Amino acid sequence: MEVTPRRIWQATHVVATVAIPWVLAVYFLQADKRTITASAHLVADFHTKAAIAAGVLLASSVLLRCFGRSVAATIPFALMWAAALAFSISQVRAYSGRFFCESEFCIPDFGLLITAVPFAVVVSAAVIGSAAIAHWTTRL
């Protein structure tokens, strides 16, 4: 197997696709969430980072797919990154600036609590599945 710039790009893309959701999950789990204001700032900051990552991974997925088949650069991955980008932008807009609770029970980071680690697990499983499918389809 020859090492080409495209192969390096593919490998980097796969590593980033797996690593970035885990890095963001660890960032959330380690963050200071002692106050409602800190939680709201965490949500905005988390989703700012997630939007940047999703945008880069979306562009990388689309460009890799345009130049041929690649693990973790398929239409479902591109759709996932597009959805993650749109959702993250909406969350940044919702939690940036001054945050006001609209009810007695207010947990701004609840959505991250229930989704950050599961999203990382699902993306990792999807990459493994994509690699297995690519392996089996190239062998046939």
Side-chain angles (χ1 to χ4, degrees):
M1 180 184 296
E2 184 181 341
V3 177
T4 63
R6 186 173 192 287
R7 291 253 186 223
I8 294 170
W9 178 16
Q10 287 174 319
T12 302
H13 178 81
V14 169
V15 169
T17 299
V18 172
I20 288 172
W22 284 108
V23 168
L24 287 171
V26 169
Y27 169 72
F28 166 72
L29 293 172
Q30 298 297 318
D32 176 30
K33 305 174 283 264
R34 285 182 270 174
T35 66
I36 291 173
T37 304
S39 291
H41 289 297
L42 170 64
V43 172
D45 190 46
F46 177 94
H47 282 291
T48 299
K49 290 170 178 37
I52 292 167
V56 169
L57 287 167
L58 172 61
S60 180
S61 293
V62 169
L63 290 172
L64 277 170
R65 184 66 183 157
C66 287
F67 295 117
R69 296 178 65 166
S70 183
V71 172
T74 61
I75 293 170
F77 276 96
L79 293 174
M80 176 188 67
W81 293 127
L85 176 61
F87 179 71
S88 289
I89 290 170
S90 73
Q91 293 299 290
V92 169
R93 293 185 72 201
Y95 289 99
S96 291
R98 195 161 175 92
F99 177 75
F100 297 101
C101 275
E102 297 176 7
S103 68
E104 284 291 317
F105 186 67
C106 184
I107 307 172
D109 62 342
F110 183 70
L112 291 178
L113 177 67
I114 62 172
T115 61
V117 173
F119 182 74
V121 170
V122 168
V123 170
S124 298
V127 170
I128 291 167
S130 180
I133 290 169
H135 175 74
W136 288 108
T137 57
T138 56
R139 291 187 70 179
L140 298 177

